[in-house]
Amino acid sequence: MHILLVEDDVKLGELIQYKLKKQLYQVEWALDAEYAMDLMERVTFDIYILDWMIPHKTGIELCKEIRLKKNRTPILMLTARDSVTDRVQGLNAGADDYLVKPFDFEELIARLHALYRRKETNWEADTKIFGDTLVIDQSTFEVSRNGVSIPLSRREFQLLSFMSQHPKQILSREQLSDRVWGIDAEITLNTVDATIKLLRKKLDDPFSDKIIQNVRGLGYRLAVEGGE
């Protein structure tokens, strides 16, 4: 695993880099957003670890910039902020996961492994059309509806991709959590709800027909036929 760590706390950065290298990972360490962006342009990484508060740009701003460049490398956000609002803000910026400081190093390793496994997951490489309006291109991670391109974060795309494999089927929050985040992921069902909310805002709010339905007490479903 080749990891980019962006952390301006020298003591913490040195500790994380040291422990990750002991696990035989390759680790590049940037103290600020500008150097991090330079490294991202020159080096291919498997995962980015971004601190929330860094010089020149916040981790949130850096995360948004990464996604605007169509870079879908998994992002783990490090933050001392643990409110639901902060978690939603991080997800909306494009982060795939986040870890609240102070954290146990074993938990950091487990989350990195989970992100890496999802990165290596073989999503079916073809284009599928649902209800003649929704197009999901699994090879380019592009989604459009009624001809309008809809940019999604990696997690949002994974969630939609899984739901598209089971059109019209009600999927419980537990099913979505296990299949999209992983069985060993330490997330709450509120995280599933927050990501669904972000996905519906992008996929449904601009249109009159709503295709992601909340089935009260049971879960969610993609309410369109297709997959051809």
Side-chain angles (χ1 to χ4, degrees):
M1 223 190 296
H2 196 179
I3 299 169
L4 173 61
L5 169 65
V6 187
E7 170 63 66
D8 68 325
D9 183 320
V10 174
K11 186 176 180 180
L12 179 59
E14 287 178 343
L15 179 62
I16 293 174
Q17 185 181 49
Y18 170 75
K19 286 183 172 288
L20 290 178
K21 285 187 173 182
K22 281 194 69 176
Q23 297 289 323
L24 302 182
Y25 301 141
Q26 290 180 272
V27 184
E28 303 292 341
W29 175 24
L31 287 165
D32 58 64
E34 287 185 359
Y35 183 48
M37 290 300 296
D38 179 61
L39 286 173
M40 290 173 191
E41 293 290 333
R42 297 187 286 110
V43 182
T44 299
F45 294 97
D46 294 305
I47 294 176
Y48 301 143
I49 303 175
L50 308 182
D51 183 33
W52 187 297
M53 298 303 296
I54 51 178
H56 305 307
K57 288 185 177 73
T58 66
I60 290 292
E61 291 169 336
L62 179 57
C63 189
K64 289 179 179 178
E65 188 169 339
I66 290 168
R67 296 311 185 210
L68 285 174
K69 292 178 179 292
K70 305 295 184 182
N71 183 341
R72 295 189 176 275
T73 301
I75 295 173
L76 173 65
M77 188 77 69
L78 298 181
T79 176
R81 303 165 182 252
D82 61 355
S83 72
V84 173
T85 300
D86 292 324
R87 292 199 295 270
V88 170
Q89 185 181 0
L91 291 170
N92 198 29
D96 297 276
D97 197 2
Y98 66 93
L99 192 56
V100 177
K101 298 177 180 179
F103 54 84
D104 186 271
F105 186 73
E106 290 184 359
E107 182 178 4
L108 172 62
I109 292 295
R111 288 178 181 270
L112 291 175
H113 283 176
L115 287 175
Y116 189 71
R117 284 196 299 271
R118 289 196 292 273
K119 178 179 183 293
E120 294 300 305
T121 298
N122 270 330
W123 298 98
E124 191 175 352
D126 62 3
T127 300
K128 292 188 175 182
I129 301 174
F130 297 83
D132 296 325
T133 63
L134 176 63
V135 178
I136 303 175
D137 190 329
Q138 310 259 11
S139 61
T140 63
F141 303 101
E142 294 179 349
V143 174
S144 65
R145 186 171 178 196
N146 292 352
V148 179
S149 178
I150 302 173
L152 300 180
S153 71
R154 182 181 179 86
R155 178 72 75 242
E156 292 162 356
F157 183 87
Q158 289 176 331
L159 185 58
L160 177 61
S161 181
F162 176 62
M163 294 180 73
S164 74
Q165 296 171 35
H166 309 276
K168 296 237 169 182
Q169 178 181 332
I170 299 173
L171 300 168
S172 70
R173 296 151 79 206
E174 291 82 3
Q175 284 177 296
L176 295 172
S177 173
D178 289 349
R179 292 301 300 273
V180 177
W181 280 263
I183 294 175
D184 57 349
E186 296 182 6
I187 66 165
T188 68
L189 296 182
N190 287 337
T191 302
V192 178
D193 293 333
T195 309
I196 285 282
K197 181 178 180 180
L198 295 173
L199 182 58
R200 294 176 78 179
K201 183 177 180 180
K202 295 178 180 180
L203 199 63
D204 275 347
D205 284 4
F207 305 96
S208 56
D209 296 332
K210 311 305 178 185
I211 61 176
I212 298 182
Q213 294 182 346
N214 180 0
V215 183
R216 186 178 294 275
L218 296 177
Y220 301 94
R221 67 180 170 191
L222 190 68
V224 287
E225 300 279 3
E228 301 300 329

